[in-house]
Amino acid sequence: MLAPYACQPDGSRGRLHPERMSSFRSPFQRDRDRIIHSSAFRRLKHKTQVFVEHEGDYYRTRLTHSIEVAQVARTISGVLGLNTDLAEAIALAHDLGHTPFGHTGEDALGLLMQPYGGFDHNAQALRIVTRLERHYADFDGLNLTWESLEGIAKHNGPVTGPNADAKHDGPLPYALAEVNEAWDLELSTHASAEAQVAAIADDVAYSHHDLHDGLRSGLFTEDDLMELPVTGPAFEEVDRLYPGLEKMRRRHEALRRVFGRMVEDVIAVAQNRLTAAQPKSVDDIRHMGTTIIRFSKPLYQELKAIRSFLFTRMYRAPSVMEERARVTAMVNDLFPLFLSRPEHLPAEWRADVEAAQDQVTLARIVADYVAGMTDRFAIQEHNRLFGGDQRADRR
């Protein structure tokens, strides 16, 4: 039984393009399945999480990260009586708009797109599921339910209005504005509890697996983590229970305790807040003016210390910065070349290029293409078009 404040499948606001109901899947199960079968989801297999895809077989990619986020979201949603299928769908879709080379690629593309409306990976995910996936006879995109689109747009909080984060100051990203114009996503309110769960599941997943990947890469050691909150007590507990445990088992046992503490904290806080607020519907959740799903203040402060450590020792490590510079140069080469010479785009993109009425529209088509590249394809295309000396043919 779903809680009264959960998104009820039979209460969905439906799809922009009406379809017959499935005889054996709920609307949100159908959304999840369409996301999993999309081309954009498959491409996440070869897109950076932190380490560029070719740097090692054991590091997380955007695909494995999205699967881990979905697993956490299902667990938390199930305990809270929420709709696990909707939470899973939003979790699986939340990174569809990421560029090759992770946030480094997004930063580079964002600067290049500043004259043309900017670039934002959350907004690009909406563009993918409403326009760029072109497999169905009756519509572009995946024709997801309103609730899934809302979750993709607002899982990190309101985008407009008094409760919006300061980072949303200024005009809406064009990709988000286009979707919202076609179908009002109520951007000034919070999203459903399911979407909020997907957002915090993202925090849980990357906080856990970035520690794991950082240790594997050798950028820091277990001794370093012994000095931090949350991770230090976890290693101490493992050492007390399993003295002399082999290194890799010790690492896994400690980090799974970190993972467990985060999940348990989110569940406990949510249960307390839901009991106090007594929401009677999903709209009560949307209009609370604050998030219902969050970490406790003590754990949030401890996780800030861990993230500060990861930023210094991992995300801005010299070897990572060297790779960031290399892949930034690739994006800085590819985008202007395609913009000035769109004949280099594949044949299936030609119709869109020919229909472009101005430079802004063309730039957004080029951004769609570059953002959709996997790490390996971007590297291959750069090698093909620029050669070993990484210089463009700009005739």
Side-chain angles (χ1 to χ4, degrees):
M1 290 291 293
L2 295 177
Y5 45 79
C7 280
Q8 311 293 329
D10 57 2
S12 171
R13 301 191 194 186
R15 306 177 188 278
L16 187 60
H17 305 280
E19 297 183 58
R20 287 191 303 173
M21 290 287 291
S22 170
S23 59
F24 53 89
R25 290 180 296 171
S26 77
F28 305 139
Q29 289 173 328
R30 208 173 186 184
D31 284 358
R32 176 201 60 204
D33 296 348
R34 287 183 178 183
I35 291 161
I36 289 172
H37 288 281
S38 68
S39 299
F41 186 73
R42 289 194 297 276
R43 289 197 299 270
L44 296 180
K45 175 183 178 183
H46 297 297
K47 290 198 176 192
T48 294
Q49 179 62 27
V50 174
F51 297 99
V52 176
E53 182 266 337
H54 66 270
E55 292 186 280
D57 291 338
Y58 289 96
Y59 300 126
R60 269 67 172 194
T61 65
R62 284 287 161 187
L63 180 63
T64 59
H65 165 71
S66 296
I67 293 170
E68 291 182 33
V69 174
Q71 178 268 318
V72 177
R74 285 194 69 91
T75 297
I76 296 173
S77 295
V79 174
L80 298 179
L82 301 173
N83 192 298
T84 57
D85 297 319
L86 177 60
E88 182 179 23
I90 297 167
L92 291 171
H94 85 283
D95 270 353
L96 289 180
H98 259 294
T99 63
F101 314 127
H103 288 288
T104 301
E106 180 178 9
D107 292 344
L109 190 56
L111 288 173
L112 292 163
M113 281 293 292
Q114 274 188 351
Y116 312 108
F119 180 88
D120 174 84
H121 79 267
N122 282 325
Q124 188 69 12
L126 282 172
R127 188 166 168 87
I128 287 168
V129 301
T130 58
R131 292 172 62 99
L132 300 182
E133 288 286 324
R134 296 174 179 173
H135 307 296
Y136 297 90
D138 294 324
F139 47 78
D140 287 340
L142 305 180
N143 200 30
L144 301 180
T145 61
W146 186 92
E147 290 77 12
S148 288
L149 296 178
E150 177 209 29
I152 297 170
K154 301 190 302 187
H155 62 276
N156 288 322
V159 182
T160 64
N163 294 315
D165 192 286
K167 68 182 179 182
H168 296 304
D169 285 348
L172 289 177
Y174 67 88
L176 175 55
E178 286 179 352
V179 174
N180 193 60
E181 184 177 357
W183 206 5
D184 183 8
L185 297 178
E186 300 176 3
L187 297 178
S188 64
T189 67
H190 285 272
S192 65
E194 286 85 353
Q196 294 180 37
V197 165
I200 209 157
D202 185 23
D203 292 345
V204 170
Y206 81 71
S207 296
H208 170 254
H209 63 53
D210 284 3
L211 290 168
H212 212 288
D213 285 354
L215 286 171
R216 180 174 285 279
S217 72
L219 291 174
F220 49 83
T221 68
E222 286 85 351
D223 288 344
D224 293 319
L225 298 188
M226 291 287 288
E227 303 300 318
L228 293 174
V230 187
T231 55
F235 276 100
E236 291 170 1
E237 180 181 355
V238 172
D239 290 342
R240 185 174 67 253
L241 295 174
Y242 306 100
L245 188 63
E246 183 266 324
K247 178 179 179 179
M248 297 302 288
R249 294 180 189 271
R250 176 177 180 257
R251 176 185 298 177
H252 179 79
E253 285 290 336
L255 293 185
R256 78 185 187 95
R257 282 165 169 75
V258 173
F259 183 90
R261 183 177 171 198
M262 288 189 286
V263 173
E264 290 166 4
D265 181 86
V266 169
I267 291 171
V269 170
Q271 288 173 329
N272 288 338
R273 290 174 67 80
L274 288 165
T275 298
Q278 290 292 303
K280 301 295 190 297
S281 69
V282 62
D283 279 337
D284 285 351
I285 297 287
R286 292 186 176 110
H287 293 93
M288 283 185 64
T290 185
T291 53
I292 201 79
I293 311 295
R294 59 173 62 181
F295 293 113
S296 65
K297 289 182 179 179
L299 182 59
Y300 179 75
Q301 292 301 318
E302 291 176 332
L303 291 177
K304 281 180 66 175
I306 292 176
R307 289 166 186 163
S308 177
F309 170 85
L310 287 171
F311 185 87
T312 302
R313 297 293 297 273
M314 186 175 181
Y315 310 144
R316 294 297 181 266
S319 60
V320 174
M321 292 301 291
E322 182 179 340
E323 188 67 7
R324 280 173 58 91
R326 188 175 78 89
V327 299
T328 295
M330 289 185 187
V331 176
N332 287 341
D333 283 342
L334 288 170
F335 180 86
L337 177 63
F338 290 132
L339 187 60
S340 62
R341 299 183 60 184
E343 66 270 19
H344 282 299
L345 295 177
E348 58 266 30
W349 290 77
R350 302 287 166 76
D352 286 341
V353 169
E354 291 170 2
Q357 298 295 314
D358 52 42
Q359 191 75 354
V360 170
T361 305
L362 179 60
R364 292 174 180 181
I365 293 168
V366 173
D368 291 337
Y369 180 65
V370 173
M373 289 178 162
T374 63
D375 294 4
R376 62 172 57 182
F377 183 64
I379 293 169
Q380 289 169 358
E381 282 294 273
H382 192 274
N383 289 340
R384 180 178 72 84
L385 294 167
F386 291 83
D389 63 1
Q390 297 191 0
R391 288 178 300 177
D393 174 7
R394 293 185 172 89
R395 291 177 295 169

